[in-house]
Amino acid sequence: MRLKTFPGGVHPHDYKHYSASVPIEELPLPQKVIISLSQHIGSPSTPLVKVGDEVKAGQKIADASGFVSIPQHASISGKVSKIDIFPHPSGTPQLGIEISSDGSDNWVELADDPNYLELSPQEIRSRIAEAGICGMGGAGFPSVVKLSPPEDKPIDTVILNGVECEPYLTADYRLMLERASDVIAGLKILLKILNAPRGIIGIEANKPEAIALMQKLTADDSQISVAPLKLQYPQGAEKQLIYAITRRKVPAGGLPMAVGAVVENVGTAAAIYEAVRFRKPLVERITTVTGSIVQNPKNLKVRIGTPFYELVNFCGGITGDIGKIISGGPMMGVALPSLDAPVAKGCSGLVLLNTREARSIKERNCLRCARCVDVCPMNLMPSLIAQAVKGNNLDLAVQAGLDDCMKCGSCAYVCPAHIRIVQWIDTGKLRIAEQRASNK
Amino acid sequence: MGFFGQLFVMAVSAIFIQNFVLAKFLGLCPYLGVSKKLDSAFGMGMAVIFVMTVASAFTFLIDKYLLVANGLEYLRTLAFILTIAALVQFVEMVIQKNAPALYKSLGVYLPLITTNCAVLGVAILNVTPLPDGSTYNFLWATLNGFLSGVGFTFVLLAMAGIRERLELVDMPKSMRGFASGLILAGTMALAFYGFMGLKI
Amino acid sequence: MSFFKELTKGIIKENPTFVIVLGMCPTLATTTSVKNAIGMGIAATFVLICSNIMISLIKNITPDKIRIPVYVVVIAAFVSVVDMAMAAYLPDLHKSLGLFIPLIVVNCIILGRAEAFANKNNVLNSMADGIGMGLGFTLSLSVVATIRELLGNGTWLDMRILPQSYNPMLIAILAPGAFFTLGFLMAAINMLKEKR
Amino acid sequence: MKDKFIVSPAPHLHDRTSIPNVMWNVVIALLPALVFAVYYWGWRSLWLTLLGALSAVLTEALIQKLRKVPITISDGSAFLTGMLLSYNISANSPWWLPVLGAAFAIAVGKQVFGGLGNNPVNPALLGRAFLLASWPSLMTSGDTWIKTLSRPFSQASINGISNLDLIHQNLQTVAPKAYDLVTSATPLKVAQTLRDSSFVNTITSSDSLNSVISNNIFTSLFDLGTLQQLFWGNVGGCIGEVSVFALLLGAAYLLWKNIIEWRIPLFYIGTVFVLTFFLGGIKGTGYSLMLPFFHIFAGGLMLGAFFMATDYTTSPLTKKGRVIYAIGCGLMTVIIRLWGGYPEGVSYSILFMNVMTPLIDKITMPKAFGRIKK
Amino acid sequence: MKFYLKLGFILLAFCVVATAILAYVNSVTKPRIDELKRVAAQEAMAKLIPNAEFSDVVIHLPEGASTPDSLVYYIATAKADSTKILGYILSAEKHGYSSNVKTMAAIDTEFKLINIKVIEQAETPGLGANCSSDSFAERFKGLLPEKLLVDKDGGEVKAMTGATITTRAVTNSIRETIAIIRKDIESRANTLPEVEA
């Protein structure tokens, strides 16, 4: 069978062998956690605690500050020791709440509600909102917003994103293997809220065990199916995934709901299940710690807010010089200046590259080889955008597709001249934003 | 050869073989001056096509019924340039009044056309005997004006396309502007050399 | 003293071809040989001087509205005179310059000088400007023609300079060569300007 | 320890391609043709090729040194340009021809515009056009083409005319001068001359027997023996035109290495094939499938379609654009070959389409995924 | 309105003055230009056949056969003896490589080429353009019309290196023109003495 896919894209080596076969391990309680107030897209959460307050694990310590925002919860029990600007996995330091552990892991009370599927959609939504759930694949879009489409936009397809197309990362893969039933339960909740007739779990073809398991577990469910997808980056990008599975094109600047689809990460689905059934807030996630210089690459279940160095230490430390610390996958992740940043809700992995892997090659002139044009999943002309931004011709950059770029990095990956196309596009986006702001 | 056969021959010749700019060195100032941007090149090209067509028609009639008929061939230069200047002025006024949008995009180029030697050039060539001793009639003179204008616009657009691309890259300082424009013109002239000696 | 200043500026400082970049068509079309170049230069110089003088004379009686048409008439008249005179007394040169003699009318140098100089200055200075610009134009044409004739034919003013065994680089006297030669001269001048 | 890490924007992975990698691979792909050229025409082919490449590299280094910019000769692009330029001249050329041509190609075709990636047209082809315009007699006249050596493949034929009896017994008596031409020029030149109406007239006007002969010569150009000749090599032509086989070998390597894309060569050669099938004959010969095969095998089409039209910098960015570009190349090639003043039109047609590339790019600018087409 | 009338008058005045000047210059130069043209043609012919006087003959060609419906050639008679025909001058023309090549050719009464002169051409400099040279004319001297073919076409005219097309244009145009006027001359050969008598 020909696997489903989208036009464009690249085929990077996946490097998943480091951690793919390592079962999820739970990281011991950290000494302290830093709960960032900006772990999602939207306005930062508003703190509810002050320095010196005692908190329990799972206690809400910051509230949503608007519709597109989420509350935050303490991931360990202890004392609020600091509210300050802390390093952040996005690279830009953000306001956060530091909690020093009291070592007891004392939780707020959770209540099992086995009849959760009989709740009204409104009730389910409020439980999801209360649990502070946002997209766990990286972007961090507040889930409840996605799950509240306007009346005139009926949703007919819910897609679970188990693609994990980023090289190195295996967190979603292990989650699908070890907590498959949670994931499916989460999907059923989504179908119920949205009153959608079908749910599809998209998984890339390099995870045959996950595909087989999911197929087995959903075999007797007529609503849910599994879609094996071609190994191709960025298969997991929302618009590409929707196109690969449904052949629908999300209009530029629009949301998936415009074509009747909602996409959630498999991890998010599992978290939604826990939130709806047990009212458990999102305070832990699976994160892959990997790379050629990590002693024992692992998939870890970690409390949100645990500093990265704890993770690395638990994996046995490093075996060589670190060249680059990447929060997220190597294609779209952020290179960090240190290991001090904490795990956030969207942190799917921590990749350490050695100095050779991280070496940067000098930018040369664009050859116009058009490889970037061929691979661009958004059908843009990346080289032209980069040149236009360099040459300060923003109109041309917009014509070539500056506004539509989602920065998947496929172009820069294949560029034989090693042009930092994504960086130029970033610069262009900043400049055009300035220009538009000043025109207003 | 029928009408369309002749038309085809004339078109191929005007655009590829005997291109005004690349082979006859006419209209170089706008070719080098108004080829920095495709949009403006397009505007200029359209204006030139229009003026060359109309000027060919007018000057041909003036030459035949006013000058040659009265043995006044020596007034050609004077009569033609006045006709063209007046024509350009007139066109400018008409467009300005009746098609303000078009005027906005073409207006700036119109005065420049008076001194575009391609226009005077085609007017004079139209009334000059051809190598085989014959001369154009009114229809062919007008068509010649039109097609020569198309040939001019064609290379102007190609040039503008290349220069727009070169705007984005890092050219040596001394090569910017006219210098690289001329080298590009030479390159294009060489590229058009393949059509030399084309038998159609 | 200003007469002398106006006379010399056209040669280098405000050279019409290389510095002001006007009159490209004849510069490229008539420089296949030094003889043609000088002929063209002199013809243009003559028109330039005459029209400059004439325009500076009539500048006060010409209404502003019809300034350009009047100038064009003046210039066209002188060009026609040159055309006829050349046909009568220098038939060979007239033939090889061909179409480009009547086209002096639209040579931007001449109308440009009329607009930029002659209609603001007195007769004497305008004449000096005409002579200077004309000389500058002739000089530039000769420089381009020298390179082209030498490379493309091995001769200068029809005198053989390079040895018979030199296999002439024909492109120099063809259309592309004209563009390349002028382009590189421009670049050289840009480089000199930068250094200064 | 903190500040040592590299903090650069994503992506943090890169595939293994690089400019030197691409350029040197093309050089490798060109080597089989050189081997064949040396085999048929002797070591001079190699020396001329090396001279061209060396001249290109030196010119590039010199200009970059004068401009005080980094010297990039190691990326192989200048070497490649020089090599391709030399492939476009006859193995009998004087030594200074590739030297001047390559220097011109690099200086005017490339460095004037700021070097690699900025050149508006293919520098090697510009160099060739420069040589052709400057020294046409050296570049085109029959005397400079090397007469074929007696190598295994050539024993039964002379420059594409494989029916020796035909030539010796008939043509020599009918038109001795024409016989000279047939034996000294490139196959395409022969085809052009034969098609030229005045030539055909001279023979056909005398009597009907001779008209049959001229038709025979024309059709024998396209028989299987000729195609074999062209395929293996050993016909008059430029160094790089030596053998279709050698060029296809290199092309296959480039396609396998994913360095060139199939669209341009396919549509280019395809267009020439289709058009020459319908338009290539002379009066009275009718259609023949040999004719288009002759046209795609003869001359520089293989070299041009696989190695020059595919030049990244001067071909369009989009797939659609590349198809338009390739069809344009094919169309121009056929027009020049059949009606032009030159027997061969490959280089000029590519140069012409290079000039058109920015316009093609402009009209084929893609609409972003999810944007509605206007 | 009055203002525009005034402008019109001024412009008109300039035109009138300019026209007057040009008319004067023209009156001076025109006779000279015409004379030059005549002399040039005479000289060209005199160069081809010295010591002769020329009289023109117009042949009317059958309609529709070719674009010009008539053709002019000149009979050259000896200056000393006007009954003695030295030869004929014809002008031939054909498209060469990049331009029309116009040639003047002189043939003797046996139709053998005495000399040729290319009068007008704009062929490639250094190649086809060399057809204006005397050495090119040498290639034609003494050839009979039957041999008037470029060597590559089986004739005896040696083609210029790299400019076969130009050579062919000159050769073929002369051959074809001779073929046309030949009939006229042959029919005239019988009648001419009678006319003179």
Side-chain angles (χ1 to χ4, degrees):
Chain A
M1 191 187 88
R2 217 172 138 185
L3 293 169
K4 290 177 172 170
T5 190
F6 62 97
V10 292
H11 305 94
H13 190 286
D14 73 3
Y15 299 100
K16 291 191 196 264
H17 60 275
Y18 289 118
S19 56
S21 54
V22 185
I24 300 171
E25 266 180 79
E26 182 152 2
L27 186 78
L29 276 189
Q31 288 296 311
K32 61 167 188 186
V33 293
I34 299 157
I35 309 293
S36 172
L37 297 176
S38 309
Q39 303 191 35
H40 53 281
I41 289 178
S43 47
S45 320
T46 327
L48 296 172
V49 293
K50 53 186 191 302
V51 177
D53 285 1
E54 293 281 343
V55 293
K56 288 179 178 176
Q59 180 186 335
K60 182 150 92 176
I61 55 171
D63 210 345
S65 59
F67 179 56
V68 188
S69 184
I70 52 170
Q72 312 287 357
H73 303 79
S75 57
I76 55 172
S77 61
K79 198 173 172 183
V80 176
S81 49
K82 229 188 213 174
I83 300 180
D84 202 352
I85 306 284
F86 291 99
H88 190 268
S90 71
T92 325
Q94 300 285 357
L95 198 60
I97 300 170
E98 185 187 85
I99 301 167
S100 299
S101 173
D102 59 8
S104 65
D105 197 22
N106 194 1
W107 279 74
V108 293
E109 222 160 287
L110 303 176
D112 186 1
D113 185 357
N115 297 325
Y116 61 94
L117 275 176
E118 281 148 35
L119 295 167
S120 73
Q122 209 40 57
E123 174 66 21
I124 299 177
R125 272 192 203 110
S126 78
R127 284 189 186 183
I128 293 172
E130 225 11 67
I133 294 176
C134 63
M136 288 163 77
F141 197 75
S143 295
V144 73
V145 181
K146 266 189 197 179
L147 299 176
S148 316
E151 296 260 321
D152 59 329
K153 295 243 167 68
I155 302 297
D156 64 0
T157 309
V158 176
I159 296 171
L160 278 200
N161 186 346
V163 174
E164 204 163 49
C165 56
E166 277 270 12
Y168 285 100
L169 304 187
T170 55
D172 286 352
Y173 171 61
R174 291 311 307 181
L175 178 99
M176 283 189 284
L177 284 186
E178 297 178 36
R179 291 177 58 195
S181 54
D182 291 5
V183 172
I184 294 165
L187 176 56
K188 284 182 179 160
I189 295 170
L190 295 176
L191 291 173
K192 156 123 181 118
I193 313 175
L194 296 164
N195 197 21
R198 65 170 176 165
I200 299 169
I201 307 170
I203 305 172
E204 244 180 7
N206 62 344
K207 307 174 191 61
E209 293 95 334
I211 296 173
L213 181 63
M214 285 292 171
Q215 269 168 342
K216 203 179 100 194
L217 292 178
T218 59
D220 51 358
D221 193 319
S222 62
Q223 268 190 308
I224 299 175
S225 61
V226 178
L229 300 164
K230 198 177 156 195
L231 184 62
Q232 193 169 3
Y233 177 87
Q235 191 71 267
E238 207 165 57
K239 291 179 179 182
Q240 275 58 38
L241 184 61
I242 293 172
Y243 179 79
I245 289 178
T246 68
R247 300 278 130 183
R248 295 176 198 164
K249 282 188 179 177
V250 179
L255 290 170
M257 60 177 69
V259 294
V262 160
V263 180
E264 277 290 10
N265 177 267
V266 282
T268 319
I272 285 174
Y273 164 70
E274 286 186 329
V276 175
R277 175 160 179 178
F278 304 105
R279 301 205 189 181
K280 184 180 170 189
L282 176 53
V283 290
E284 54 192 11
R285 66 156 296 140
I286 319 285
T287 293
T288 307
V289 181
T290 182
S292 59
I293 48 168
V294 176
Q295 182 80 49
N296 304 307
K298 282 181 173 158
N299 298 296
L300 296 175
K301 184 174 176 187
V302 297
R303 299 290 166 91
I304 303 295
T306 312
F308 282 141
Y309 54 79
E310 296 257 8
L311 278 65
V312 177
N313 290 341
F314 183 71
C315 293
I318 51 170
T319 58
D321 282 343
I322 300 181
K324 222 183 228 185
I325 302 166
I326 303 162
S327 144
M331 293 299 285
M332 287 183 78
V334 180
L336 296 178
S338 77
L339 281 167
D340 295 339
V343 172
K345 290 176 180 173
C347 279
S348 45
L350 177 67
V351 181
L352 302 184
L353 299 181
N354 66 23
T355 44
R356 193 184 52 78
E357 289 163 332
R359 80 185 190 285
S360 71
I361 296 169
K362 225 185 92 240
E363 239 182 25
R364 292 178 190 248
N365 279 358
C366 172
L367 262 187
R368 289 175 38 93
C369 67
R371 272 161 211 248
C372 54
V373 180
D374 292 348
V375 301
C376 180
M378 293 304 285
N379 208 17
L380 315 176
M381 296 177 115
S383 62
L384 196 58
I385 306 179
Q387 275 195 328
V389 172
K390 257 193 242 186
N392 226 343
N393 185 345
L394 289 180
D395 289 347
L396 182 64
V398 170
Q399 255 181 53
L402 179 64
D403 290 336
D404 296 292
C405 175
M406 56 165 177
K407 301 195 276 185
C408 70
S410 301
C411 46
Y413 173 77
V414 293
C415 181
H418 296 92
I419 296 172
R420 322 267 186 266
I421 302 178
V422 179
Q423 189 181 353
W424 287 110
I425 289 176
D426 263 338
T427 314
K429 286 196 174 203
L430 277 176
R431 277 200 216 145
I432 200 98
E434 276 167 27
Q435 196 186 61
R436 282 173 186 160
S438 66
N439 282 354
K440 258 173 202 164
Chain B
M1 196 161 27
F3 173 79
F4 287 103
Q6 272 181 15
L7 189 69
F8 178 74
V9 170
M10 185 183 249
V12 172
S13 173
I15 295 169
F16 296 112
I17 309 173
Q18 286 292 315
N19 190 283
F20 257 49
V21 179
L22 299 177
K24 290 188 178 152
F25 294 115
L26 291 173
L28 286 174
C29 294
Y31 176 65
L32 293 170
V34 201
S35 56
K36 284 235 167 88
K37 283 222 163 289
L38 255 176
D39 295 341
S40 45
F42 188 76
M44 180 71 174
M46 290 303 124
V48 167
I49 291 179
F50 183 76
V51 172
M52 276 175 87
T53 313
V54 181
S56 289
F58 271 73
T59 54
F60 184 86
L61 293 178
I62 287 175
D63 188 70
K64 189 160 181 190
Y65 297 107
L66 223 64
L67 300 181
V68 177
N70 298 313
L72 294 172
E73 285 98 331
Y74 58 88
L75 286 180
R76 238 175 218 167
T77 314
L78 186 63
F80 282 11
I81 190 71
L82 265 181
T83 312
I84 291 167
L87 187 72
V88 171
Q89 197 97 61
F90 179 72
V91 167
E92 198 178 343
M93 285 192 310
V94 169
I95 295 183
Q96 189 173 18
K97 206 166 176 190
N98 299 324
L102 186 68
Y103 181 75
K104 227 179 167 181
S105 58
L106 288 191
V108 283
Y109 309 115
L110 282 166
L112 284 175
I113 295 175
T114 316
T115 51
N116 182 345
C117 44
V119 183
L120 184 61
V122 80
I124 295 177
L125 286 174
N126 275 336
V127 297
T128 313
L130 298 171
D132 63 4
S134 65
T135 46
Y136 288 129
N137 62 22
F138 175 71
L139 176 68
W140 287 108
T142 312
L143 284 175
N144 190 33
F146 172 73
L147 292 171
S148 302
V150 172
F152 170 84
T153 306
F154 182 68
V155 293
L156 182 70
L157 286 179
M159 177 78 153
I162 300 177
R163 288 185 87 171
E164 215 171 62
R165 205 181 105 192
L166 286 175
E167 277 291 287
L168 302 176
V169 304
D170 192 23
M171 256 201 286
K173 244 193 186 149
S174 54
M175 278 297 164
R176 302 216 178 114
F178 278 102
S180 65
L182 282 160
I183 305 263
L184 270 180
T187 305
M188 282 180 67
L190 259 185
F192 274 64
Y193 244 59
F195 301 112
M196 278 265 260
L198 206 61
K199 281 188 291 287
I200 35 172
Chain C
M1 209 50 224
S2 101
F3 178 83
F4 190 69
K5 210 180 84 200
E6 301 300 349
L7 194 74
T8 49
K9 69 170 184 227
I11 296 171
I12 293 180
K13 219 177 95 204
E14 288 180 35
N15 185 296
T17 310
F18 291 123
V19 183
I20 316 182
V21 198
L22 291 172
M24 284 293 111
C25 306
T27 310
L28 292 159
T30 62
T31 50
T32 44
S33 72
V34 179
K35 202 171 89 189
N36 281 357
I38 292 175
M40 182 72 205
I42 289 172
T45 306
F46 173 78
V47 176
L48 196 49
I49 297 170
C50 294
S51 68
N52 261 11
I53 293 174
M54 190 52 99
I55 282 159
S56 127
L57 277 174
I58 61 169
K59 65 174 187 275
N60 293 328
I61 57 166
T62 340
D64 210 42
K65 282 238 162 195
I66 52 163
R67 197 177 73 239
I68 300 284
V70 168
Y71 293 171
V72 167
V73 170
V74 170
I75 295 167
F78 284 118
V79 169
S80 302
V81 168
V82 169
D83 194 7
M84 287 186 272
M86 235 180 198
Y89 301 102
L90 296 164
D92 285 344
L93 192 61
H94 182 261
K95 208 170 163 188
S96 62
L97 293 178
L99 181 61
F100 286 90
I101 303 251
L103 287 184
I104 297 177
V105 178
V106 279
N107 188 328
C108 343
I109 296 177
I110 292 166
L111 199 61
R113 289 328 284 176
E115 271 284 272
F117 196 90
N119 79 344
K120 300 192 188 82
N121 287 282
N122 64 30
V123 178
L124 205 62
N125 279 351
S126 299
M127 187 171 83
D129 180 74
I131 299 173
M133 285 293 157
L135 279 181
F137 182 59
T138 313
L139 202 70
S140 332
L141 285 191
S142 312
V143 170
V144 178
T146 300
I147 297 174
R148 294 183 65 192
E149 193 182 333
L150 210 58
L151 286 177
N153 207 24
T155 58
W156 188 77
L157 249 178
D158 294 339
M159 290 178 291
R160 180 147 286 282
I161 302 288
L162 297 175
Q164 231 10 286
S165 59
Y166 170 71
N167 199 337
M169 191 167 96
L170 284 180
I171 194 174
I173 47 175
L174 302 175
F179 290 116
F180 287 136
T181 312
L182 195 57
F184 280 115
L185 280 173
M186 289 278 196
I189 283 162
N190 285 345
M191 248 186 270
L192 284 179
K193 267 199 253 169
E194 257 170 61
K195 276 209 180 122
R196 210 175 282 157
Chain D
M1 171 163 171
K2 261 188 185 175
D3 304 318
K4 232 173 59 184
F5 312 133
I6 297 159
V7 182
S8 65
H12 310 289
L13 278 187
H14 197 281
D15 72 0
R16 255 169 277 160
T17 52
S18 65
I19 291 177
N21 178 304
V22 168
M23 296 295 167
W24 290 114
N25 264 319
V26 180
V27 170
I28 290 173
L30 282 169
L31 288 179
L34 190 58
V35 172
F36 272 63
V38 170
Y39 175 72
Y40 287 125
W41 300 326
W43 291 105
R44 197 174 167 85
S45 332
L46 178 66
W47 301 138
L48 289 178
T49 308
L50 285 179
L51 265 179
L54 198 69
S55 160
V57 168
L58 283 180
T59 311
E60 176 139 311
L62 191 74
I63 293 177
Q64 286 179 329
K65 185 139 188 140
L66 287 178
R67 277 188 64 202
K68 299 189 182 76
V69 293
I71 292 176
T72 59
I73 47 174
S74 61
D75 67 14
S77 65
F79 189 93
L80 178 62
T81 299
M83 190 167 175
L84 275 174
L85 184 272
S86 302
Y87 270 32
N88 272 300
I89 60 171
S90 139
N92 228 11
S93 307
W95 63 270
W96 50 266
L97 210 61
V99 172
L100 282 184
F104 185 90
I106 293 292
V108 181
K110 186 172 162 195
Q111 289 299 336
V112 156
F113 303 103
L116 188 62
N118 299 352
N119 46 305
V121 299
N122 188 327
L125 287 176
L126 189 73
R128 178 185 189 225
F130 160 76
L131 292 180
L132 195 55
S134 292
W135 295 280
S137 46
L138 283 179
M139 294 292 289
T140 56
S141 93
D143 312 338
T144 54
W145 302 120
I146 293 193
K147 304 225 171 153
T148 48
L149 306 173
S150 51
R151 298 278 191 193
F153 294 123
S154 71
Q155 275 164 4
S157 91
I158 300 173
N159 276 0
I161 306 282
S162 52
N163 190 339
L164 266 189
D165 290 344
L166 178 83
I167 292 165
H168 283 309
Q169 290 164 17
N170 297 322
L171 189 58
Q172 219 164 5
T173 50
V174 176
K177 301 290 178 183
Y179 167 78
D180 277 356
L181 167 91
V182 169
T183 52
S184 67
T186 61
L188 274 175
K189 182 91 191 164
V190 180
Q192 190 202 21
T193 313
L194 286 168
R195 208 179 28 249
D196 191 310
S197 58
S198 64
F199 173 80
V200 175
N201 286 344
T202 43
I203 301 183
T204 50
S205 59
S206 21
D207 62 61
S208 59
L209 174 75
N210 293 341
S211 126
V212 173
I213 293 172
S214 81
N215 271 351
N216 279 351
I217 302 170
F218 189 71
T219 40
S220 82
L221 259 182
F222 316 121
D223 68 11
L224 219 52
T226 312
L227 294 185
Q228 245 170 21
Q229 280 289 301
L230 289 166
F231 188 76
W232 293 112
N234 202 20
V235 290
C238 306
I239 294 176
E241 293 172 359
V242 59
S243 149
V244 173
F245 171 74
L247 291 168
L248 284 179
L249 214 61
Y253 176 75
L254 289 185
L255 284 167
W256 173 63
K257 278 268 177 185
N258 238 336
I259 285 172
I260 59 172
E261 203 223 16
W262 54 271
R263 276 186 186 78
I264 292 177
L266 183 82
F267 279 93
Y268 189 171
I269 296 172
T271 307
V272 172
F273 190 92
V274 171
L275 288 179
T276 48
F277 177 75
F278 289 108
L279 305 170
I282 57 167
K283 265 176 274 166
T285 51
Y287 298 112
S288 151
L289 209 56
M290 290 297 163
L291 194 66
F293 272 112
F294 169 76
H295 269 284
I296 64 170
F297 279 7
L301 183 62
M302 289 291 162
L303 184 67
F306 283 106
F307 295 91
M308 311 225 251
T310 50
D311 172 37
Y312 291 149
T313 308
T314 54
S315 57
L317 289 170
T318 60
K319 288 174 179 143
K320 203 162 89 191
R322 277 175 239 155
V323 172
I324 298 175
Y325 165 88
I327 292 177
C329 283
L331 182 70
M332 293 296 157
T333 303
V334 172
I335 288 177
I336 296 175
R337 276 193 184 177
L338 297 189
W339 297 288
Y342 297 97
E344 173 61 304
V346 169
S347 2
Y348 280 118
S349 56
I350 299 176
L351 271 180
F352 177 77
M353 290 314 288
N354 284 166
V355 171
M356 293 296 120
T357 292
L359 294 183
I360 296 177
D361 270 344
K362 202 88 191 172
I363 57 170
T364 57
M365 180 99 81
K367 280 273 168 288
F369 181 90
R371 290 232 176 227
I372 293 129
K373 282 204 172 114
K374 269 180 205 160
Chain E
M1 196 62 215
K2 214 177 153 191
F3 175 65
Y4 284 102
L5 268 179
K6 193 184 147 205
L7 290 185
F9 269 120
I10 295 177
L11 191 55
L12 191 68
F14 272 105
C15 290
V16 169
V17 173
T19 310
I21 294 171
L22 289 185
Y24 171 72
V25 175
N26 183 54
S27 70
V28 174
T29 53
K30 190 153 196 310
R32 201 180 144 82
I33 295 172
D34 292 344
E35 173 69 11
L36 269 173
K37 266 190 196 156
R38 205 182 54 78
V39 170
Q42 285 289 328
E43 269 176 5
M45 287 196 273
K47 246 190 176 165
L48 294 175
I49 305 181
N51 298 323
E53 277 179 8
F54 304 96
S55 51
D56 54 334
V57 179
V58 180
I59 312 175
H60 292 279
L61 299 174
E63 244 175 75
S66 57
T67 14
D69 49 8
S70 65
L71 198 144
V72 182
Y73 72 95
Y74 300 86
I75 302 175
T77 47
K79 262 186 187 157
D81 173 9
S82 63
T83 57
K84 189 177 176 226
I85 297 177
L86 295 176
Y88 308 90
I89 305 256
L90 55 99
S91 50
E93 181 165 3
K94 212 176 185 96
H95 196 266
Y97 189 71
S98 57
S99 67
N100 265 26
V101 184
K102 203 168 170 183
T103 317
M104 212 176 233
I107 47 177
D108 63 14
T109 48
E110 305 294 309
F111 303 105
K112 202 157 86 183
L113 273 177
I114 301 173
N115 204 347
I116 68 149
K117 174 82 192 157
V118 174
I119 312 180
E120 262 182 46
Q121 51 89 11
E123 301 287 282
T124 321
L127 287 175
N130 290 342
C131 65
S132 296
S133 68
D134 288 342
S135 68
F136 180 71
E138 283 299 322
R139 301 172 190 222
F140 289 84
K141 280 187 185 170
L143 291 183
L144 282 166
E146 295 79 51
K147 304 277 183 185
L148 261 183
L149 277 173
V150 178
D151 48 5
K152 291 176 182 174
D153 300 346
E156 293 196 350
V157 179
K158 193 170 172 292
M160 289 186 288
T161 310
T164 312
I165 296 172
T166 309
T167 317
R168 189 176 282 142
V170 173
T171 312
N172 292 352
S173 69
I174 296 176
R175 189 186 64 246
E176 285 159 17
T177 314
I178 292 179
I180 297 173
I181 66 170
R182 187 169 191 158
K183 283 181 200 140
D184 192 66
I185 292 171
E186 276 165 353
S187 68
R188 199 173 289 269
N190 309 324
T191 58
L192 193 64
E194 284 170 35
V195 172
E196 292 299 322

